[in-house]
Amino acid sequence: MIRTGIFGGSYNPIHIGHLALANYLCEYGELDELWFMVSPQNPFKAHSSDLWDDNLRLELVRLAVEGYPKLHASDFEFHMPRPSYTVSTLEKLREAYPDREFILIIGADNWVSFPRWKDADIIMKHHKLMVYPRPGFEIDESALPAHVKLVNTPLLEVSSTFIRESLRQGKDVRYFLHPKVWERIICNSKE
């Protein structure tokens, strides 16, 4: 079985925090590969005019992971009903790729709210989870179920909101982004 991490998000845009976390999980977290699951619509967030075009966000993820064979951009949820629920995505992934073991990757902030997720119990029944630290969200590792692993990843406090706001202000934040992502965003802003 290929151990495949599923790291869902809007990636609005993808930044070095996402990439460093994914890189760490592949090299130190026992994953064979990681898929950035680009979400067209998060069920916990109202559809925002601040959300960049789906295809642009996917293109930026593809540019960011190019050349690193363990990371992949996925548009799997683009072909599912919206909003996309993790339980449905994971179920369809299991059907489409029976040779893979899918491990859900979430932040400590999402672990705290996990019981409110649609069919959280079904996700827990069929999948392992990796939980990475987030500032302000302490996780008692001894209280975690056996198939939920707290991974001690480095903390890089960068957010897509910070990137978007900085870009609106005309700030040069190129070192918070993969170079190809930065180039594409700057090119896009001139079109």
Side-chain angles (χ1 to χ4, degrees):
M1 288 286 243
I2 302 167
R3 290 174 49 87
T4 304
I6 297 298
F7 189 18
S10 57
Y11 302 109
N12 192 36
I14 190 167
H15 53 67
I16 60 162
H18 298 129
L19 295 167
L21 174 64
N23 184 198
Y24 184 92
L25 291 174
C26 284
E27 298 301 329
Y28 299 97
E30 303 161 10
L31 295 178
D32 296 313
E33 60 185 23
L34 180 143
W35 293 2
F36 285 98
M37 187 66 58
V38 181
S39 301
Q41 184 182 350
N42 181 326
F44 286 111
K45 296 178 184 174
H47 191 70
S48 167
S49 60
D50 210 18
L51 189 63
W52 292 2
D53 176 75
D54 293 350
N55 292 314
L56 174 61
R57 291 181 294 116
L58 179 65
E59 178 189 354
L60 294 175
V61 173
R62 284 186 175 140
L63 288 170
V65 302
E66 203 173 68
Y68 183 63
K70 294 181 181 183
L71 300 181
H72 304 278
S74 176
D75 66 352
F76 195 85
E77 288 189 344
F78 286 27
H79 312 287
M80 295 182 64
R82 296 180 189 193
S84 48
Y85 292 98
T86 301
V87 67
S88 302
T89 300
L90 291 170
E91 180 184 341
K92 296 292 183 195
L93 284 168
R94 281 196 319 271
E95 290 171 10
Y97 302 96
D99 61 330
R100 296 177 184 277
E101 175 188 10
F102 291 104
I103 297 116
L104 181 63
I105 298 161
I106 62 173
D109 53 334
N110 280 315
W111 175 249
V112 169
S113 65
F114 193 74
R116 294 196 327 255
W117 286 31
K118 180 176 176 22
D119 297 326
D121 55 331
I122 294 173
I123 295 172
M124 294 284 284
K125 180 180 177 184
H126 295 287
H127 298 279
K128 293 178 182 171
L129 280 77
M130 287 184 166
V131 179
Y132 61 90
R134 294 293 303 262
F137 295 91
E138 293 299 317
I139 303 292
D140 178 1
E141 193 169 0
S142 66
L144 292 175
H147 57 287
V148 178
K149 180 179 180 180
L150 186 63
V151 286
N152 190 22
T153 59
L155 285 175
L156 287 175
E157 267 314 287
V158 183
S159 74
S160 296
T161 303
F162 164 77
I163 301 291
R164 291 190 312 276
E165 187 56 36
S166 298
L167 292 169
R168 270 194 288 276
Q169 295 172 11
K171 305 286 187 195
D172 185 336
V173 289
R174 71 180 70 205
Y175 294 111
F176 291 90
L177 300 162
H178 185 284
K180 290 182 180 179
V181 171
W182 170 255
E183 289 169 19
R184 181 64 180 94
I185 288 171
I186 295 307
C187 178
N188 197 54
S189 68
K190 293 176 181 174
E191 290 175 358

